[in-house]
C-alpha cells in the first residue's frame, strides 16, 4: 500500500514511525506504546512528529486511514461497514463524521461520485 503522506522531511525516526503506522493501519493507536517502541518519550515523539510533518501522530494516522478508505471506495464494491473495519475503525458513525470532515462527502457520496465518473 503506497500511502505517502508527508514524506518530504529528513527525520529518519519519523520516517520509520510513518512506515510503521502504514503497516499497522488498522491496529488500535496508543501514543505511549508507539513512543516506547521507538525508544522515545511521548513528548519527544510529539515534538519530532510536529517538527517533521506539522501534525500529530494520531492526526497523521487518521489521514492515512481516510486515504486508504478513499482508495477502497474507489476501487472495490465492499460495503462501507467492511471498509470501516479494514481501516481501523469500529464505529461506522464516527468514521462517517471523520470522513466528511476530511472529504466533504459521506463515504456513499464519495463512492457514487467516482462510480459516476467511471472509476470503478
Amino acid at each position: 500500500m503506497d500511502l505517502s503522506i508527508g514524506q518530504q522531511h529528513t527525520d529518519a525516526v519519523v520516517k520509520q514511525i510513518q512506515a510503521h503506522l502504514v503497516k499497522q493501519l488498522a491496529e488500535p493507536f496508543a501514543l505511549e506504546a508507539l513512543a516506547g517502541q521507538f525508544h522515545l518519550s511521548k513528548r519527544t515523539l510529539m515534538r519530532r512528529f510536529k517538527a517533521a510533518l506539522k501534525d500529530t501522530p494520531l492526526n497523521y494516522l487518521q489521514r492515512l486511514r481516510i486515504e486508504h478508505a478513499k482508495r477502497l471506495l474507489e476501487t472495490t464494491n465492499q460495503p462501507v461497514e467492511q471498509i470501516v473495519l479494514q481501516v481501523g475503525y469500529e464505529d461506522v458513525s464516527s468514521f462517517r463524521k471523520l470522513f466528511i470532515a476530511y472529504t466533504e462527502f459521506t463515504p456513499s457520496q464519495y463512492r457514487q461520485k467516482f462510480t459516476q465518473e467511471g472509476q470503478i
Side-chain angles (χ1 to χ4, degrees):
M1 165 174 33
D2 177 33
L3 293 174
S4 52
I5 297 173
Q7 297 289 335
Q8 295 73 31
H9 62 84
T10 58
D11 190 320
V13 173
V14 172
K15 286 183 181 185
Q16 289 174 359
I17 295 168
Q18 287 177 270
H20 173 79
L21 290 173
V22 168
K23 287 181 199 161
Q24 303 295 317
L25 189 68
E27 299 301 316
F29 177 79
L31 182 62
E32 196 164 314
L34 183 63
Q37 189 169 353
F38 288 91
H39 310 291
L40 301 170
S41 69
K42 288 191 310 186
R43 184 175 177 188
T44 299
L45 171 61
M46 293 291 285
R47 181 180 48 76
R48 288 180 72 168
F49 221 84
K50 281 198 174 235
L53 299 171
K54 312 284 188 264
D55 209 348
T56 67
L58 180 57
N59 285 341
Y60 179 80
L61 178 61
Q62 287 176 333
R63 287 190 301 145
L64 287 176
R65 288 173 170 175
I66 294 297
E67 287 303 314
H68 189 52
K70 285 168 51 178
R71 287 190 185 154
L72 291 172
L73 288 165
E74 292 168 10
T75 60
T76 73
N77 290 319
Q78 293 178 24
V80 172
E81 296 78 12
Q82 188 176 352
I83 291 173
V84 167
L85 294 173
Q86 268 188 270
V87 299
Y89 293 96
E90 295 178 8
D91 181 34
V92 175
S93 176
S94 295
F95 171 79
R96 187 174 182 274
K97 289 176 188 170
L98 188 64
F99 194 88
I100 291 168
Y102 278 88
T103 67
E104 298 181 359
F105 295 102
T106 67
S108 298
Q109 289 170 334
Y110 186 88
R111 174 175 270 160
Q112 185 177 18
K113 176 181 175 3
F114 283 92
T115 301
Q116 289 174 347
E117 293 175 5
Q119 297 291 321
I120 296 181

